[in-house]
Amino acid sequence: MVLLNGFKIFVLAIIQIFGEIAMEGMRMAIRAFKKFPRSYIAVCYMFITMAFCYYPIFDHWLTGFIMMSLPLAILAGLTASCYLLYKKQKLVASAGFIWFLMTFPIIKRFVGVGKSKPEISQAQSLKVLSYNSESFGEHNGKGVNWSSLKSDIACFQEYSYNENIESQYSNKLVKLTPFDKGRHIGLALFSQYPVVKEYSKIWDRKGQPNINGFICADIAYQQDTVRVVNVHLWSMGVRINQATDALKRGNVKEFAFEIFDTFRRLKQGFEARDEQIKEVESYVSGSKYPVIICGDFNEIPFGYVYGKLSLSFNNAFEEAGQGLGFTLNRRPYWVRIDQQFFSSDWKVQSCQTIKGITVSDHFPVVAQYVLKKSLDKPTNLVANR
């Protein structure tokens, strides 16, 4: 009994000591924070944005804004860490530098450093094109080299009927809706291989043109079946042109309105894309077939949808792209919102943005894939059944 009481006293003493140490550490942290509040906040915010980009656990519109601010958060956090080190705040500064290094895998989403892959035969590879064609511009693609848009599978967003495109493919899935007088636009998926099953949907934009949706197709490829999804998510809503033009004219009131309206549109877009990608995921999560998801995601690589899909799928540009790979052919130009994701069944050989085709406000994205098991057994393909 004496031994038991002595043990209890010893445990209580240890708890008290550690409690006092923790309290003292907390008091020191509070004093340091009061001394360098902005630097501490910058370092913490860098960690929060990085953590959300790695694992977007909250499907809330605020998460989208936080993730989108990652480049600014990195710059502010690194600057603050250097300042804190200069001020001999070594612990927090070291944490900041470690968190900065941990952002490098995320920065890879923005800058392609893909290595050259060994050549493979056309019989083994699958060439997939994704293109928001914007109805091929005002002149319906006049002057375009149509053969450059020929692939094994081609996914178009904001597509209008085009004989030059459709004549190149034997299997066609087209989902168009009325846009304006005499014109229908929507989604199209063309394939050189037979389509064995398909499902498509156009989302209701409530009073606006219904141009967003997806086409999911199971395609008989070689001796296998693959699932390809062509998706066009809710628009970003960024109107840079109007805001910058108002600022140039010195109209501060109009500029402020455009900024506020852009914020409102971004919020609406984050909420809509969250719901839309959940529906798309229901067709690809746990698929028994190799999956490729491509299209106009209307979200930058630091966005919620990109982060969510990255938990289960690889991104073609990250794996095989080079440079910055911007896909927007209008202001603000320096963004990549057209993506191709793929399941672990595939190995991507290349991913390129075709800058020579300028009839749309987007550039086409082309990637070349090969099934991993066909690399292992190039002469004896096994069906994925």
Side-chain angles (χ1 to χ4, degrees), residues 261-329:
D261 191 54
T262 295
F263 176 86
R264 181 188 61 82
R265 288 168 177 264
L266 284 171
K267 175 181 175 294
Q268 184 183 40
F270 286 133
E271 292 173 335
R273 287 190 294 272
D274 176 31
E275 293 300 317
Q276 291 169 354
I277 202 61
K278 285 178 181 177
E279 188 167 357
V280 172
E281 283 185 311
S282 69
Y283 288 88
V284 296
S285 296
S287 170
K288 61 181 179 180
Y289 303 130
V291 172
I292 295 174
I293 311 168
C294 60
D296 178 3
F297 287 77
N298 270 313
E299 200 165 274
I300 61 175
F302 305 132
Y304 175 80
V305 168
Y306 193 107
K308 191 78 182 294
L309 284 178
S310 294
L311 297 176
S312 304
F313 299 94
N314 299 313
N315 182 270
F317 179 80
E318 285 189 45
E319 300 294 326
Q322 295 182 344
L324 298 174
F326 299 145
T327 63
L328 200 59
N329 185 28

Side-chain angles (χ1 to χ4, degrees), residues 20 25 58 79 98 104 121 125 127 135 200 208-209 223 236 256 272 278 328 336 351 355 360 365 380:
E20 290 176 356
F58 300 114
T79 303
I98 292 171
F104 280 18
S121 67
S125 66
K127 184 179 179 182
S135 302
S200 61
Q208 302 180 56
Q223 297 179 29
M236 291 178 68
K278 285 178 181 177
L328 200 59
R336 178 168 57 87
C351 182
K355 296 291 182 70
S360 169
V365 176
N380 184 26

Side-chain angles (χ1 to χ4, degrees), residues 42-55 62-79 96 99-111 270 300-304 306-307 318 334 336:
V43 172
C44 291
Y45 188 73
M46 178 175 65
F47 172 77
I48 292 171
T49 54
M50 176 197 67
F52 277 23
C53 286
Y54 269 114
Y55 195 82
L62 187 59
T63 304
F65 280 104
I66 292 173
M67 295 171 68
M68 192 171 64
S69 67
L70 179 67
L72 183 61
I74 291 175
L75 180 61
L78 181 60
T79 303
W99 295 338
F100 169 72
L101 293 175
M102 290 176 66
T103 64
F104 280 18
I106 304 173
I107 294 174
K108 183 178 147 186
R109 298 180 185 179
F110 191 66
V111 182
F270 286 133
I300 61 175
F302 305 132
Y304 175 80
Y306 193 107
E318 285 189 45
W334 34 267
R336 178 168 57 87

Side-chain angles (χ1 to χ4, degrees), residues 156-182:
F156 289 90
Q157 306 87 44
E158 294 190 31
Y159 176 81
S160 290
Y161 172 75
N162 188 297
E163 184 179 0
N164 295 295
I165 292 291
E166 299 196 20
S167 63
Q168 300 183 79
Y169 297 92
S170 54
N171 299 278
K172 309 176 184 70
L173 298 176
V174 181
K175 188 79 171 178
L176 304 182
T177 57
F179 183 73
D180 53 24
K181 187 177 180 180

Side-chain angles (χ1 to χ4, degrees), residues 29 37 66 69 94 124 151 170 178 183-184 247 255 301 307 325 340 356 375:
I66 292 173
S69 67
S94 298
Q124 285 182 296
S151 300
S170 54
R183 186 162 64 121
H184 289 67
L247 190 62
F255 173 76
Q340 292 196 22
L375 288 175

